[in-house]
Amino acid sequence: MWPYPKVVAHRGGGTLAPENTLAAMRCGLQHGFHAVEFDVMLARDGVPVLMHDAVFGRTVRGVGKVADFSAQELTAMDAGSWLGPQFAGEPVCTYQQVLEFCRRNGIWMNVEIKPAEGFEIETGRVVAQVTEEFFGAEVAAHAAGRRGAWADPALPLLSSFSFAALRAAQVAAPDIPRGFLTDVIEDDWQERLQELDAVALHTNHKYLSPMQAQAVSQAGYGLFCYTVNTPTRAREILGWGVDGFCTDRIDLIGADFPGAPG
């Protein structure tokens, strides 16, 4: 039932480009990936931008919090030079910019809602609303003619570790599919998915067992893993019935990796 690509470029370009930037999206595309995962949080003015860390220091040099700066201020910051001089000046990008890039290039998106602490509900709501507005025609088609279908491959998949953020996304845009993220699969995983009307469970492959993979599949949900960086492990979990995974090593595990539909 999994309608999405099996192999997804983590944060756009894995380890080959500065994460969550347009340079990363271009890198993934150059390596044949038409499926990406990336993180979205809110700027001070409520504009969603691509960012994993709520505080500066790792991918954006300096001191401060993402939530303390406007989108205009953030997009003037260097988000590339931390990885290498060839990426110096690569800016923080907005969610809107990435939506437009992915649509132009036929790229499917796993959008991780990454709220800063205290902004869970607002972030989930805004990301869902922006997504619904951008994919208006596809959402309308799904709502009118395909409601009840397991998922719609024409739409992105919203995911988050934050139950509150995903719940807010569900309320704001119920027709955009959702996947619940959890590092370790807890006993109440199915109850959580049912509450969110989610289509998939996303989890850390390191803590996954074959029995858990089978249980998720038998319950009718998709199972997506992060972050798988060796071909041996990729083959192993696909053999367990995992539906898809993201990878940092897009140079080792291609979009046409064995077991992935071409």
Side-chain angles (χ1 to χ4, degrees):
M1 295 187 295
W2 183 257
Y4 309 122
K6 279 190 175 291
V7 190
V8 177
H10 189 224
R11 301 181 190 172
T15 57
L16 303 185
E19 65 182 55
N20 290 323
T21 64
L22 288 178
M25 304 302 151
R26 291 191 294 268
C27 179
L29 189 61
Q30 288 166 1
H31 281 75
F33 279 82
H34 284 265
V36 296
E37 181 271 355
F38 53 80
D39 307 285
V40 181
M41 65 176 56
L42 296 185
R44 184 186 62 207
D45 50 4
V47 176
V49 298
L50 266 63
M51 191 74 67
H52 181 274
D53 300 355
V55 298
F56 300 140
R58 187 176 65 87
T59 62
V60 175
R61 293 173 179 167
V63 178
K65 298 180 180 179
V66 173
D68 291 337
F69 292 82
S70 69
Q72 184 176 4
E73 291 170 327
L74 289 169
T75 55
M77 295 180 181
D78 183 345
S81 61
W82 66 273
L83 189 61
Q86 69 273 32
F87 297 113
E90 182 66 31
V92 173
C93 64
T94 67
Y95 182 36
Q96 184 72 26
Q97 288 175 316
V98 173
L99 286 171
E100 293 169 356
F101 178 88
C102 289
R103 169 169 276 177
R104 286 196 306 269
N105 291 284
I107 299 173
W108 177 77
M109 292 168 281
N110 176 354
V111 181
E112 181 177 344
I113 302 170
K114 200 82 172 180
E117 185 176 358
F119 293 88
E120 292 82 4
I121 293 174
E122 182 182 1
T123 307
R125 175 182 58 80
V126 171
V127 172
Q129 288 175 339
V130 170
T131 306
E132 184 177 54
E133 181 177 349
F134 188 84
F135 287 94
E138 292 89 340
V139 171
H142 175 72
R146 286 180 278 182
R147 180 174 292 279
W150 186 84
D152 190 339
L155 297 173
L157 180 62
L158 303 180
S159 64
S160 186
F161 285 100
S162 169
F163 185 89
L166 271 186
R167 183 74 181 95
Q170 177 188 9
V171 172
D175 290 304
I176 304 293
R178 292 165 297 283
F180 182 55
L181 264 162
T182 180
D183 193 41
V184 177
I185 298 178
E186 304 289 352
D187 292 340
D188 64 347
W189 66 269
Q190 190 166 356
E191 179 182 336
R192 306 280 272 181
L193 292 179
Q194 289 172 343
E195 287 184 61
L196 292 168
D197 193 22
V199 300
L201 181 67
H202 298 198
T203 193
N204 191 332
H205 75 96
K206 295 179 181 178
Y207 310 121
L208 180 68
S209 71
M211 185 176 298
Q212 288 173 324
Q214 184 179 26
V216 174
S217 178
Q218 288 179 345
Y221 295 100
L223 179 59
F224 185 86
C225 286
Y226 67 91
T227 302
V228 183
N229 290 330
T230 68
T232 299
R233 181 59 170 169
R235 291 188 185 94
E236 182 177 31
I237 64 169
L238 288 174
W240 294 351
V242 167
D243 294 297
F245 63 89
C246 63
T247 182
D248 282 322
R249 295 304 307 269
I250 63 174
D251 53 334
L252 293 181
I253 303 174
D256 59 350
F257 183 78

